[in-house]
């Protein structure tokens, strides 16, 4: 009897030990995000500044010492208002000198004209040769050319005298002044900046990865930090070259029906509709990259992990804009490299 029961007892012992060594796989909890398109990037917003469409850097056409200044930064001026004046003493002397040269040239011209008339009379009486008459004709022509040159120089000198006064070329606001009274300036040196009040616009800067979405004529909506009203805008100009520091492109937007209380320098935001309305924003950790293919893990109806191909449209910081997902799908957003196809998971 003992020999019969011994194998049975040993079999029971070994069977019990085998059960203790079997490891039961734990179902992992995964962090997920349900796709409902509420997090769609429905619009692109860029900060900007209100500027005048026409800004003129004004300068004197002659050099000299600044004698008076009639404006301050922020002053509104009308077309024709006197802004700055230069000391005109030296230029006045140059104009007087040019007038004297005109008088001298005029006297020489009159003498040459009188001689020419006299010798023409003598030539008609056969008292002189044709060669001598030609000489006096040449003297007259030279005197006349010298007179015209003196008159032109005199006009130039008097124009320079007028250039010692700097007048406003349009209605506008003084946005910057670069010189002070007593300072000696050269011709063409920027004295001030005049922002014309005829038209205002908003200037923004866009990154290069968004440049393809914005064209000249693209409509947008402009909001202002100073009030809650919004106005319509249209892209008027796009810089052909990126800024060397920020690597962004300057875009100018024309405004429509702008309120008068919107002043230069105010903060504005340009709102553009998103080009890709079927995209959805996910954490960058949700992307499962295999070679050139971008995929995400989704939780099936059977609570199992399955890979799905997506298209990456854009990314920034720790977020990524993708397309190819359907509303209601549940995407696993963390620990994606530890999963396998068909693995059972618990969505959290």
């Amino acid at each position: 009897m003992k020999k019969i029961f011994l194998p049975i007892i040993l079999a029971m012992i070994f069977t019990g030990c085998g059960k203790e060594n079997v490891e039961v796989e734990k179902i992992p909890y995964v962090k997920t995000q349900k796709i409902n398109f509420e997090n769609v990037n429905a619009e692109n917003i860029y900060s900007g500044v209100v500027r005048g469409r026409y800004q003129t850097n004004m300068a004197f056409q002659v050099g000299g010492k600044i004698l008076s200044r009639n404006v301050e930064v922020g002053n509104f001026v009308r077309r024709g208002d006197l802004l700055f004046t230069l000391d005109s003493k030296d230029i006045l002397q140059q104009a007087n000198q040019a007038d004297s040269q005109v008088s001298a040239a005029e006297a020489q011209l009159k003498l040459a004209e009188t001689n020419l008339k006299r010798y023409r009379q003598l030539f008609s009486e056969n008292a002189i040769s044709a060669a001598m008459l030609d000489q006096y004709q040449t003297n007259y022509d030279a005197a006349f050319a010298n007179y015209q040159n003196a008159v032109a120089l005199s006009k130039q000198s008097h124009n320079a005298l007028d250039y010692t006064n700097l007048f406003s070329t349009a209605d506008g606001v003084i946005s910057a002044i670069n010189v002070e009274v007593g300072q000696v300036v050269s011709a063409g040196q920027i004295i001030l900046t005049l922002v014309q009040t005829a038209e205002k616009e908003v200037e923004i800067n866009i990154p290069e990865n968004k440049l393809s979405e914005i064209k000249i004529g693209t409509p947008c909506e402009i909001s202002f930090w100073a009030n809650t009203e919004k106005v319509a805008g249209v892209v008027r100009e796009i810089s052909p070259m990126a800024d060397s520091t920020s690597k962004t492109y300057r875009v100018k937007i024309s405004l429509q029906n702008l309120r008068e209380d919107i002043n230069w320098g105010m903060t504005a935001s340009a709102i553009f509709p998103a080009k890709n309305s079927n995209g959805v924003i996910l954490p960058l950790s949700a992307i499962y990259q295999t070679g050139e293919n971008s995929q995400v893990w989704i939780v099936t109806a059977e609570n199992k992990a399955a890979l799905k191909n997506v298209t990456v449209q854009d990314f920034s910081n720790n977020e990524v804009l993708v397309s190819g997902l359907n509303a209601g799908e549940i995407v696993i957003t963390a620990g994606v490299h530890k999963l396998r196809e068909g693995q059972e998971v618990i969505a959290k």
Side-chain angles (χ1 to χ4, degrees):
M1 293 295 293
K2 293 182 180 179
K3 293 182 180 180
I4 296 173
F5 286 105
L6 181 61
I8 298 174
I9 295 172
L10 291 175
M12 293 177 61
I13 294 173
F14 285 119
T15 301
C17 293
K19 289 182 179 179
E20 291 178 357
N21 292 333
V22 173
E23 293 183 1
V24 179
E25 182 181 5
K26 294 182 179 180
I27 301 176
Y29 286 87
V30 291
K31 186 177 181 180
T32 60
Q33 176 179 318
K34 187 174 182 180
I35 305 302
N36 53 20
F37 292 101
E38 292 181 356
N39 58 341
V40 171
N41 186 19
E43 54 190 22
N44 295 319
I45 303 176
Y46 304 97
S47 297
V49 177
V50 178
R51 300 189 184 279
R53 176 171 181 176
Y54 303 103
Q55 299 189 44
T56 306
N57 293 324
M58 303 190 65
F60 286 104
Q61 292 181 246
V62 294
K65 182 179 180 180
I66 295 179
L67 194 63
S68 66
R69 162 182 166 177
N70 302 326
V71 290
E72 300 290 342
V73 173
N75 286 167
F76 177 81
V77 295
R78 296 285 185 183
R79 181 184 182 91
D81 287 350
L82 180 61
L83 308 178
F84 277 80
T85 58
L86 291 179
D87 189 349
S88 61
K89 289 185 294 185
D90 292 339
I91 298 177
L92 179 60
Q93 293 302 320
Q94 293 174 3
N96 292 336
Q97 183 181 4
D99 290 341
S100 299
Q101 291 175 352
V102 171
S103 299
E106 186 178 11
Q108 291 295 326
L109 178 61
K110 289 181 178 180
L111 177 60
E113 185 179 9
T114 300
N115 289 337
L116 180 60
K117 288 180 180 179
R118 183 183 299 116
Y119 278 87
R120 279 177 177 172
Q121 181 65 31
L122 293 175
F123 179 75
S124 65
E125 298 173 357
N126 296 323
I128 60 172
S129 64
M132 183 172 290
L133 178 62
D134 290 341
Q135 180 181 352
Y136 281 93
Q137 180 65 51
T138 301
N139 291 341
Y140 172 80
D141 292 340
F144 182 74
N146 186 50
Y147 171 75
Q148 286 186 315
N149 183 60
V151 171
L153 291 175
S154 177
K155 289 182 178 180
Q156 184 178 7
S157 298
H158 283 280
N159 288 340
L161 189 60
D162 293 336
Y163 295 154
T164 58
N165 294 320
L166 186 62
F167 295 98
S168 174
T169 56
D171 295 349
V173 174
I174 306 299
S175 64
I177 295 178
N178 305 318
V179 296
E180 295 295 339
V181 173
Q183 184 175 340
V184 177
V185 297
S186 58
Q189 179 179 341
I190 297 177
I191 304 301
L192 57 83
T193 301
L194 175 67
V195 180
Q196 298 184 28
T197 55
E199 187 173 346
K200 297 174 184 176
E201 62 183 14
V202 168
E203 182 177 305
I204 64 173
N205 292 283
I206 63 173
E208 58 186 39
N209 64 329
K210 295 292 185 179
L211 188 61
S212 61
E213 300 180 12
I214 299 177
K215 307 292 183 183
I216 294 178
T218 300
C220 63
E221 195 174 43
I222 305 296
S223 63
F224 303 94
W225 186 76
N227 58 58
T228 58
E229 292 189 11
K230 296 180 180 179
V231 299
V234 177
V235 174
R236 180 183 68 83
E237 178 183 308
I238 300 176
S239 175
M241 184 176 297
D243 182 83
S244 59
T245 303
S246 64
K247 300 302 180 182
T248 58
Y249 289 81
R250 183 179 60 189
V251 175
K252 295 183 178 180
I253 302 172
S254 297
L255 305 177
Q256 302 173 9
N257 302 322
L258 185 64
R259 288 173 39 174
E260 294 184 357
D261 60 344
I262 301 300
N263 297 321
W264 296 276
M266 282 188 172
T267 303
S269 295
I271 307 169
F272 292 87
K275 184 177 180 181
N276 301 299
S277 59
N278 63 336
V280 62
I281 295 177
L282 296 174
L284 191 59
S285 59
I287 299 299
Y288 184 80
Q289 194 76 23
T290 55
E292 296 182 356
N293 297 324
S294 297
Q295 299 174 306
V296 296
W297 289 96
I298 62 172
V299 180
T300 66
E302 294 78 20
N303 292 325
K304 293 184 179 181
L307 280 173
K308 184 171 185 177
N309 292 328
V310 294
T311 301
V312 175
Q313 299 177 355
D314 193 11
F315 62 90
S316 61
N317 298 329
N318 292 318
E319 295 180 331
V320 60
L321 177 65
V322 301
S323 60
L325 296 172
N326 301 317
E329 289 184 319
I330 300 175
V331 177
I332 300 174
T333 59
V336 296
H337 294 284
K338 298 180 180 180
L339 300 174
R340 68 176 186 274
E341 187 74 27
Q343 181 179 3
E344 188 174 357
V345 294
I346 300 175
K348 187 177 182 181

